[in-house]
Amino acid sequence: MALGRTVDVLDESTHPTRIIWQLAWPTVLEQFLIMIVQYVDTAMVGSLGKNATAAIAVTASFTWLMGGIFAGISLGFGVPVGRYIGAGKPEKAKAVVRQSVIAIFLLGVVATLIMQLLAPHLPVWLGAEEAIRADASAYISIVSAAYLFSLSINICSNILRCAGDTRTPLVFNIATNVINVVLNTLLIFPTRTVSLFGLSFTMWGAGWGVRGAAVATAIATAFSGIMLLTALFRPAFPVSIRIRDKFRFDKAIFADMVRLGSPVTFERVTISLGQVLLTAMVTAIGTAELAAHSLATTAESITYMPAFGFSAAATTLVAQSLGAERPQLAKRFGRYCILGAVIFMSAMGVVLFLGGQFLVSLFTPDVDVAALGGAVLRIEALAQPFFALSMVVCGVMRGARQTKITFVIAVIGMWVVRIPLAFLLLRTTQLGLACAWIAMASDLFVRGLISLFYYRKGTWLNTTGVSA
């Protein structure tokens, strides 16, 4: 695996499916490794009991919220880089990369300060039980201390992918996962006797519990953020920058980032705020339901991997194709990406339907929690093909700079379908946690259909003045 290797997406001698796979598989594998980290964190913390699991779950929605903001910022820098590369304008691409470095340090510090102020209050606002509030506050406070590096990961990874390099983020993510697992082992549990291959030995441990998991995540995030930032300065990167370059604030580039990225941020914020409200509804049902909801969400997240890879590939391919004024190539790439994602996620839906309870049981010894999590995953499994449609079409639209439509689709799905339906079902039925997941599946179904309609309409190709 060559670090920093980029894919020539405009190479006519290579079949589109091969180009898509070259871009998608490192991203899919990267997402798989990210899921492994989440699984390991969840399993290790889950072994401490349902209160520990709930302490992390209660603030997860706000972590998603910040992730959504970071995603918008990163897309606002990444897509212009891809468009300029496709148009054969490397110097303009480098100017965008330099502004992204300024954004990492400026906006990363601001995000950290905001979350440090909010951390003590979030569990209370979300209605968490008294027993888990201290751990929940500590977890979000420690994790958010590394937000500058989280933003670096988002921005640098997006720029690298839009330039055709999906392998560098993968390589550094592998190292990050190793660091996280090792530190989890040392920081979550106390000093104990460990048996391995018939041998017993004493392993030191800090015994910090939930706080240990947070510290491990923060350190691993810092490592990855630094390494990915240095990748932008590597000579092998097609639009690499240098430390001695002039890093002056460019109002026009930042304004373009805001125009392009703000709808994505609003989209993710819209979804995340809905998840915050849904988490509050689930929290009101009970701690066991909250734990099952969190663990089922973690188990379900493995199905995102194929669609995320195809979506990221679609953004790169469409951005560079339209930058080169080749709309029919962009349309062809989009069609292949959608088809691949639907096939893969449909298969993953079968896995969730048949093996959901087993997946949840890997993270908790509580049989009742595992059974409840497995039951709601069977509901969600039916919506996987539609989720694939919405994810990849959104990737296409972002590459085409049509980010407002993705925001509209998110608003309809979350606030017209998911939240009202969950509220109605919780008030009028005795289905408990299933109410939230029926509403989630309905949201994904609607989003998928709207996304497919807009894609087939073809107006997104008009960015170059060419209709479908």
Side-chain angles (χ1 to χ4, degrees):
M1 182 182 298
L3 185 66
R5 178 184 174 185
T6 57
V7 177
D8 183 0
V9 305
L10 303 177
D11 182 7
E12 294 183 356
S13 65
T14 306
H15 194 274
T17 55
R18 183 175 180 182
I19 293 175
I20 290 170
W21 184 245
Q22 287 175 338
L23 289 174
W25 80 257
T27 305
V28 171
L29 182 55
E30 180 188 353
Q31 290 303 301
F32 175 75
L33 293 172
I34 291 173
M35 292 303 106
I36 290 296
V37 170
Q38 294 179 358
Y39 275 39
V40 169
D41 281 351
T42 304
M44 288 182 169
V45 173
S47 67
L48 302 177
K50 64 183 180 183
N51 280 357
T53 299
I56 294 179
V58 75
T59 58
S61 50
F62 266 86
T63 301
W64 299 332
L65 175 62
M66 295 306 299
I69 295 173
F70 293 168
I73 297 170
S74 65
L75 189 84
F77 288 115
V79 170
V81 169
R83 294 287 284 252
Y84 283 134
I85 290 175
K89 299 177 180 179
E91 291 305 316
K92 287 192 174 183
K94 290 182 180 182
V96 176
V97 175
R98 282 191 288 269
Q99 294 303 301
S100 74
V101 174
I102 295 175
I104 288 170
F105 288 95
L106 177 63
L107 302 180
V109 170
V110 172
T112 297
L113 292 176
I114 290 174
M115 288 306 297
Q116 291 299 311
L117 292 174
L118 295 179
H121 309 291
L122 289 180
V124 178
W125 294 343
L126 292 171
E129 296 180 2
E130 183 68 33
I132 66 174
R133 288 180 184 176
D135 275 345
S137 294
Y139 184 85
I140 191 63
S141 178
I142 295 169
V143 169
S144 64
Y147 270 174
L148 186 151
F149 305 104
S150 296
L151 183 57
S152 177
I153 292 172
N154 276 266
I155 290 179
C156 297
S157 294
N158 210 303
I159 288 176
L160 290 165
R161 293 190 189 106
C162 285
D165 176 13
T166 56
R167 298 190 180 190
T168 297
L170 168 63
V171 169
F172 288 128
N173 190 62
I174 292 173
T176 301
N177 287 349
V178 173
I179 294 171
N180 188 73
V181 171
V182 171
L183 291 179
N184 270 343
T185 302
L186 297 176
L187 300 180
I188 293 177
F189 305 105
T191 300
R192 61 207 182 279
T193 300
V194 177
S195 297
L196 187 64
F197 302 119
L199 300 176
S200 296
F201 58 93
T202 300
M203 176 177 287
W204 177 86
W208 292 346
V210 171
R211 290 170 173 80
V215 172
T217 298
I219 294 175
T221 299
F223 169 81
S224 188
I226 293 170
M227 292 297 100
L228 285 167
L229 181 60
T230 62
L232 301 184
F233 293 85
R234 291 172 57 89
F237 183 50
V239 288
S240 64
I241 57 177
R242 299 172 299 177
I243 295 178
R244 62 175 179 271
D245 288 348
K246 294 181 180 180
F247 289 84
R248 294 177 179 174
F249 179 81
D250 189 313
K251 183 179 178 180
I253 291 177
F254 263 78
D256 186 58
M257 180 273 289
V258 172
R259 281 195 299 270
L260 180 59
S262 57
V264 177
T265 296
F266 292 144
E267 171 198 342
R268 295 287 293 272
V269 168
T270 294
I271 293 174
S272 296
L273 288 176
Q275 290 169 333
V276 170
L277 183 54
L278 193 66
T279 299
M281 292 183 190
V282 173
T283 302
I285 303 174
T287 299
E289 285 76 9
L290 177 59
H293 178 71
S294 173
L295 296 177
T297 301
T298 301
E300 181 218 11
S301 61
I302 193 172
T303 65
Y304 302 172
M305 296 182 302
F308 188 92
F310 282 104
S311 179
T315 298
T316 300
L317 295 165
V318 170
Q320 291 202 27
S321 296
L322 294 182
E325 299 186 358
R326 297 173 63 181
Q328 293 307 314
L329 180 61
K331 183 179 180 181
R332 190 181 184 191
F333 278 136
R335 184 170 62 250
Y336 278 117
C337 286
I338 291 172
L339 181 61
V342 169
I343 291 173
F344 273 96
M345 280 193 70
S346 296
M348 297 306 297
V350 174
V351 172
L352 284 183
F353 190 88
L354 299 177
Q357 182 170 339
F358 170 73
L359 291 175
V360 177
S361 69
L362 297 176
F363 315 128
T364 177
D366 193 313
V367 177
D368 292 334
V369 170
L372 186 57
V376 297
L377 283 176
R378 283 192 288 275
I379 298 171
E380 185 76 358
L382 303 176
Q384 294 304 295
F386 300 95
F387 195 13
L389 279 172
S390 65
M391 287 186 70
V392 180
V393 170
C394 284
V396 169
M397 296 307 142
R398 288 164 186 158
R401 297 179 63 93
Q402 301 293 301
T403 52
K404 291 182 180 179
I405 186 61
T406 65
F407 168 61
V408 173
I409 292 172
V411 170
I412 293 173
M414 179 61 72
W415 293 99
V416 177
V417 179
R418 183 182 300 197
I419 296 303
L421 183 57
F423 180 81
L424 178 65
L425 292 175
L426 284 168
R427 286 299 184 93
T428 60
T429 72
Q430 301 297 318
L431 296 175
L433 182 59
C435 296
W437 285 74
I438 291 172
M440 290 166 62
S442 300
D443 167 14
L444 298 180
F445 179 81
V446 170
R447 271 196 266 171
L449 291 181
I450 296 175
S451 297
L452 181 61
F453 170 80
Y454 191 81
Y455 172 81
R456 291 180 62 85
K457 188 177 180 181
T459 54
W460 56 277
L461 291 169
N462 291 338
T463 53
T464 59
V466 180
S467 65

